[in-house]
Amino acid sequence: MGRYVLRRLLQMIPVFLGTTFLIYVMVWAVPGDPFEGKCGERDCPPSYVAAMREQFNLDDNVFVQYGKYLANLLQGDFGKTSSGLEVADRIAATFPVTLKLAVVALLIEAVIGITAGVVSGLRGRGFLDSLVLVSTLFLISIPVFVTGYVVQLVFGIQLGWITPTVSKPTFVNLIVPGFVLASLSMAYVARLSRASIAENKRADYVRTALAKGMRPRRVVGVHLLRNSLIPVITFLGTDLGAFLGGAIVTEGIFNVPGVGGLVFRSILTKDGAMVTGVVTVLVLVYLLMTLLVDLLYAVLDPRIRYE
């Protein structure tokens, strides 16, 4: 296990370098003036442009620029924005909110999606199976932003059951935005769990366990679920990173002060340092979640060995 983890960590290095380099080039090396509009409708003074170009090393080759950025990054220095704000401070202030929202969405996705998929897969064709198929198809067909606006309008404004916007990002207040954020993935998890359960319940190891006299509940809980949830765990693991990076719309609808709004505002104001810093953090989260998912495989399926 230790050698496998070390090998996976080493594999992450070129992936991290490649993704962060692409992000850096896309943000800083695109044609055009990166400081356009920073001084309102007027052109920025040459002294300001020269200072900014020196601060962000824009007079160097793009490889040298990236090397300097990476060297600072390895020391925990994400740099400063063009307005002088520390990027790390802004990320530290907003990332916990988005992480909280992503965790709530992941829990909702896992609990409702897996439960619906398992029940549907075990029961087979019937009312519950049809209900799960129709409801998941309904959720897949609707864009997340439409779901968000409908939930906000009907349950928040017309019925008054929920607060239309999030004033304080506690776990309880983030349940509704989390449900909206997880709605699409929840439908996929339900369908993935249903298909996996339906396929494995006819497997030889399940029939053998039943033939040996093992109780059906134990067969389902100990053998069938552990083997059927492997593809679902993979999906859930990568989804946490997707929630962190894809919460821009949901955070905008419910006014959640998270990373999504920070990235959106940074893109509008062409704040390259902030965009690069936030996306770098999201890349790290993706890589760590992928490693965690790989390690969970051995827990769910004893046949998987890493040595």
Side-chain angles (χ1 to χ4, degrees):
M1 177 67 81
R3 292 176 60 185
Y4 175 78
V5 173
L6 179 60
R7 190 166 65 245
R8 291 285 286 111
L9 289 173
L10 292 176
Q11 291 173 352
M12 287 181 181
I13 295 176
V15 177
F16 175 77
L17 294 177
T19 51
T20 52
F21 178 73
L22 283 176
I23 294 161
Y24 191 89
V25 169
M26 291 173 64
V27 172
W28 289 107
V30 293
D33 184 4
F35 307 110
E36 182 181 0
K38 296 290 183 185
C39 304
E41 297 181 355
R42 300 175 303 170
D43 292 336
C44 291
S47 57
Y48 173 84
V49 174
M52 289 294 104
R53 294 189 71 84
E54 183 180 359
Q55 177 181 338
F56 296 108
N57 305 307
L58 297 184
D59 293 326
D60 296 327
N61 182 283
V62 66
F63 295 101
V64 177
Q65 293 178 36
Y66 175 72
K68 292 180 178 178
Y69 176 77
L70 189 63
N72 293 330
L73 198 64
L74 293 176
Q75 300 175 37
D77 182 8
F78 284 76
K80 292 183 179 179
T81 66
S82 55
S83 56
L85 297 174
E86 290 284 349
V87 174
D89 292 343
R90 297 295 300 140
I91 294 176
T94 55
F95 190 77
V97 177
T98 300
L99 181 62
K100 202 181 294 183
L101 175 62
V103 170
V104 171
L106 193 69
L107 289 175
I108 292 173
E109 173 191 7
V111 172
I112 299 179
I114 292 177
T115 302
V118 169
V119 172
S120 176
L122 290 176
R123 293 292 181 89
R125 296 178 180 177
F127 174 74
L128 282 177
D129 187 42
S130 300
L131 180 64
V132 170
L133 289 177
V134 171
S135 58
T136 52
L137 181 62
F138 183 74
L139 289 174
I140 292 172
S141 305
I142 301 177
V144 172
F145 74 90
V146 175
T147 305
Y149 279 122
V150 169
V151 169
Q152 187 183 48
L153 177 66
V154 175
F155 297 103
I157 298 176
Q158 294 184 348
L159 298 178
W161 292 354
I162 62 172
T163 53
T165 57
V166 175
S167 56
K168 190 176 180 182
T170 61
F171 279 107
V172 175
N173 291 339
L174 291 175
I175 289 178
V176 174
F179 178 84
V180 172
L181 180 61
S183 58
L184 181 61
S185 298
M186 186 169 59
Y188 286 126
V189 166
R191 285 183 168 244
L192 192 60
S193 304
R194 174 186 176 274
S196 190
I197 289 286
E199 180 184 353
N200 287 330
K201 73 180 182 181
R202 298 184 181 87
D204 291 340
Y205 67 89
V206 174
R207 288 186 295 182
T208 301
L210 291 173
K212 289 170 66 177
M214 191 176 290
R215 288 183 301 176
R217 285 188 178 181
R218 183 170 175 77
V219 173
V220 172
V222 175
H223 298 289
L224 184 58
L225 276 182
R226 290 180 63 176
N227 289 283
S228 301
L229 288 182
I230 291 177
V232 180
I233 292 296
T234 305
F235 188 87
L236 290 174
T238 54
D239 238 14
L240 180 62
F243 286 155
L244 289 170
I248 295 177
V249 175
T250 307
E251 289 183 355
I253 294 172
F254 293 97
N255 198 29
V256 178
V259 167
L262 179 64
V263 172
F264 182 68
R265 290 190 298 273
S266 301
I267 292 174
L268 289 181
T269 57
K270 297 182 178 180
D271 202 334
M274 187 65 74
V275 175
T276 310
V278 172
V279 177
T280 299
V281 172
L282 295 180
V283 168
L284 283 173
V285 172
Y286 263 114
L287 293 176
L288 293 177
M289 286 307 301
T290 306
L291 174 62
L292 181 61
V293 167
D294 287 346
L295 297 179
L296 280 176
Y297 285 161
V299 178
L300 292 171
D301 190 347
R303 294 171 298 181
I304 297 177
R305 291 291 181 268
Y306 296 115
E307 300 295 346

